[in-house]
C-alpha cells in the first residue's frame, strides 16, 4: 500500500453557493476553508474521508466530468434533491433504474431509490474509464483493497481510508479532454511520492509555498493530490 484515500475536492466558480447545496443534500455542515473555499462535513460521517472540499477556480466548467458520486436517496424519487436546487438530467428508463441530476454548477451525480437497510447519502465514487479493469487494478496497488471485475465495469472494495461501499470504474467511449471538476486526495505512507511515480503516476505539480501536497495524475490522466504525512510532535 502506497497511500490512503483522504477526501474529495470539487472545483467551483462559487464555493459558498455550491458548498451550501451539497450540505443541504448530504445533511452536512459547511466549514470555512479559507478565502472563498468551503468544506462540506456530513454530520453522520464516520471519518474525515467523507468531507468534500469545495475550492474556487478561475476557469469555467467545460466538457464532461469523469468523476461523480452515486447517492442513495431518502425515498423512492429525488424530489427533495430537486427542491434543494438539483436539476434533473435524466429519469429512469428501461434497464436504467436511477436518476441523473446536476448540482447548481452543472456537475452530474446519480440518485438511486432508497432500499431497506440503506442510509441516504453517497455509496459509490464513479470514474469514467477507457480500461476499467486496469484502473481498478492500478488503484488497488496504490490504496489496497480488492479489485472486482465485470462486463464494462470494475470496482475496488476495502481500499484504505475509502469511506463508501465501492470505488467504481465504468467504461466510456470518449477520451478525457479536460481537467476533472471533482478529484480525490490521498495521504502518502512515505514523505514523498516516489513510489507512486514509479508505479505509473504522472507528476503534474510540486508542492508550492508552504503546501505539503503534490498534484499527480493516474494512468488515465485523472488528477489527484497526494499529501505528505504530518510531522509527529
Amino acid at each position: 500500500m502506497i497511500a490512503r484515500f483522504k477526501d474529495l475536492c470539487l472545483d467551483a466558480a462559487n464555493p459558498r453557493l455550491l458548498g451550501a447545496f451539497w450540505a443541504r443534500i448530504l445533511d452536512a455542515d459547511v466549514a470555512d476553508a479559507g478565502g472563498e473555499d468551503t468544506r462540506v462535513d456530513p454530520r453522520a460521517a464516520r471519518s474525515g474521508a467523507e468531507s468534500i472540499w469545495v475550492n474556487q477556480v478561475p476557469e469555467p466548467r467545460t466538457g464532461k466530468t469523469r468523476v461523480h458520486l452515486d447517492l442513495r436517496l431518502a425515498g423512492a424519487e429525488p424530489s427533495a434533491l430537486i427542491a434543494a436546487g438539483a436539476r434533473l438530467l435524466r429519469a429512469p428508463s428501461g434497464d436504467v433504474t436511477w436518476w441523473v441530476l446536476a448540482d447548481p454548477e452543472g456537475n452530474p451525480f446519480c440518485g438511486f431509490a432508497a432500499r431497506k437497510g440503506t442510509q441516504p447519502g453517497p455509496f459509490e465514487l464513479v470514474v469514467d474509464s477507457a480500461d476499467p479493469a486496469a484502473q481498478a487494478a492500478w488503484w488497488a496497488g496504490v490504496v489496497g483493497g480488492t479489485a472486482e471485475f465485470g462486463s464494462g465495469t470494475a470496482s475496488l472494495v476495502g481500499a484504505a481510508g475509502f469511506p463508501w461501499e465501492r470505488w467504481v470504474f465504468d467504461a466510456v467511449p470518449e477520451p478525457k479532454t479536460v481537467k476533472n471538476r471533482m478529484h480525490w486526495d490521498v495521504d502518502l505512507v512515505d514523505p514523498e511520492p516516489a513510489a507512486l511515480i514509479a508505479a505509473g503516476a504522472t507528476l503534474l505539480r510540486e508542492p508550492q509555498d508552504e503546501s505539503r501536497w503534490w498534484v499527480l495524475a493516474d494512468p488515465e490522466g485523472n488528477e489527484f493530490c497526494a499529501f505528505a504525512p504530518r510531522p509527529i510532535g
Side-chain angles (χ1 to χ4, degrees):
M1 190 183 76
I2 299 172
R4 293 177 56 86
F5 185 92
K6 183 179 184 292
D7 49 33
L8 289 178
C9 293
L10 182 60
D11 289 352
N14 188 333
R16 296 186 181 276
L17 175 66
L18 199 58
F21 166 79
W22 280 97
R24 284 194 298 273
I25 70 170
L26 296 181
D27 187 27
D29 295 317
V30 179
D32 187 337
E36 292 298 311
D37 295 350
T38 61
R39 190 183 69 242
V40 178
D41 298 326
R43 298 185 182 105
R46 292 164 293 180
S47 76
E50 294 184 53
S51 292
I52 303 174
W53 294 75
V54 188
N55 300 321
Q56 189 171 48
V57 296
E59 67 274 6
R61 182 182 179 276
T62 58
K64 179 189 177 188
T65 184
R66 292 176 76 83
V67 183
H68 72 267
L69 284 171
D70 285 348
L71 307 186
R72 185 68 64 187
L73 302 176
E77 41 75 37
S79 58
L81 301 188
I82 294 170
R87 178 165 52 93
L88 180 63
L89 300 181
R90 191 183 71 199
S93 177
D95 293 335
V96 176
T97 60
W98 57 90
W99 291 261
V100 180
L101 303 109
D103 70 17
E105 291 201 3
N107 302 298
F109 62 97
C110 295
F112 290 72
R115 287 183 180 175
K116 186 176 180 180
T118 63
Q119 296 295 320
F123 70 100
E124 292 179 337
L125 177 64
V126 184
V127 185
D128 289 354
S129 306
D131 188 338
Q135 281 288 89
W138 191 84
W139 277 102
V142 172
V143 295
T146 302
E148 299 180 351
F149 308 104
S151 177
T153 189
S155 59
L156 187 56
V157 295
F162 191 76
W164 303 299
E165 293 175 24
R166 289 181 177 272
W167 192 345
V168 179
F169 301 89
D170 279 342
V172 297
E174 68 276 0
K176 182 178 186 292
T177 58
V178 297
K179 177 189 174 190
N180 290 331
R181 296 292 278 189
M182 176 176 278
H183 74 264
W184 53 90
D185 296 333
V186 299
D187 281 321
L188 293 169
V189 173
D190 295 330
E192 42 77 37
L196 263 175
I197 295 168
T202 301
L203 178 63
L204 301 180
R205 195 185 73 195
E206 297 275 2
Q208 297 182 338
D209 300 323
E210 296 184 8
S211 67
R212 61 184 188 90
W213 66 87
W214 292 260
V215 182
L216 302 107
D218 71 12
E220 289 201 3
N222 297 300
E223 304 86 1
F224 67 98
C225 295
F227 284 70
R230 289 188 179 276
I232 298 175

